[in-house]
Amino acid sequence: MEIISVTKPKARKDHICDWCACKIEKGTVYTNSFCVQDGDTYTWKNHIHCEEIASKLKMFDHDDGYGVTDEAFQEAIREEYIQLMQHHHFELYESEFFQYPNFESQLAYVCEMHNILKP
């Protein structure tokens, strides 16, 4: 994958983040990358905080030339969520009453624990 250009526009309409699959709301600054892969061009849109947490968790260090996929991003967030819960809230995490929150809540918790602010 080759990144041709990167801009950080303010969304004029709602979009979907290609990493977390959550809404990029109108008025939010986001990353818009124009890419080429195997001769095909595409646009990749993502939240700024998704990019920051991907960097913080060193997801780009494992890039095989295809970039960080949505599946790899979401798996890394889920794994980090589990590790943080086991470390900071072990009794709650191990209790029979614990239920995993949805992915968006897991991402928010991981960002918060790494001091990355969501807008």
Side-chain angles (χ1 to χ4, degrees):
M1 180 212 34
E2 180 183 356
I3 299 173
I4 304 299
S5 67
V6 177
T7 58
K8 302 232 185 239
K10 184 182 281 191
R12 292 181 291 180
K13 64 178 188 171
D14 290 346
H15 299 282
I16 298 297
C17 176
D18 287 310
W19 271 328
C20 72
C22 298
K23 186 190 304 185
I24 299 170
E25 295 193 17
K26 179 180 177 179
T28 303
V29 175
Y30 68 99
T31 300
N32 185 19
S33 303
F34 182 68
C35 307
V36 176
Q37 182 173 330
D38 299 328
D40 295 322
T41 61
Y42 63 95
T43 301
W44 183 273
K45 297 177 173 105
N46 60 267
H47 293 109
I48 301 295
H49 64 268
C50 287
E51 189 173 334
E52 290 174 357
I53 196 66
S55 179
K56 184 94 172 201
L57 297 179
K58 301 184 185 313
M59 291 183 204
F60 300 110
D61 292 358
H62 309 290
D63 183 2
D64 59 1
Y66 291 100
V68 177
T69 65
D70 55 340
E71 293 92 359
F73 177 83
Q74 292 173 25
E75 181 181 333
I77 295 299
R78 287 186 185 100
E79 289 174 5
E80 182 68 7
Y81 176 81
I82 290 169
Q83 289 179 10
L84 289 168
M85 287 299 291
Q86 288 174 334
H87 185 262
H88 296 283
H89 307 286
F90 183 77
E91 289 182 17
L92 171 64
Y93 180 74
E94 291 296 320
S95 81
E96 62 183 280
F97 304 107
F98 178 77
Q99 294 182 357
Y100 282 95
N102 64 27
F103 178 77
E104 189 171 4
S105 296
Q106 290 179 40
L107 175 60
Y109 178 76
V110 169
C111 286
E112 179 182 326
M113 293 301 286
H114 285 279
N115 298 314
I116 294 173
L117 301 177
K118 289 178 61 175

